[in-house]
Amino acid sequence: MAGRVAAAGVPRTVIAERLSIGENTVKFHVANVLGKLGVTTRGEAAALARGPRRAG
């Protein structure tokens, strides 16, 4: 769930509230996931999750 809402552009404050955790905890985990994916932004992670685009 956290990955889906992060990829959807939901702010850290909302993610923290939904999961009943601190905003800094969300920030920490999102940064770890981004690092493991080799990207720097949540938008890049979302694009990576969608996969390659095909020429139409």
Side-chain angles (χ1 to χ4, degrees):
M1 178 181 141
R4 267 186 256 145
V5 295
V10 177
R12 283 192 305 257
T13 53
V14 175
I15 296 169
E17 189 176 289
R18 287 185 187 179
L19 298 175
S20 300
I21 59 176
E23 187 177 348
N24 284 335
T25 302
V26 174
K27 185 177 180 179
F28 175 80
H29 288 296
V30 168
N32 282 337
V33 170
L34 295 179
K36 288 181 181 195
L37 292 174
V39 298
T40 56
T41 68
R42 295 189 321 177
E44 290 174 334
L48 184 64
R50 283 191 296 270
R53 292 183 172 219
R54 292 192 230 175

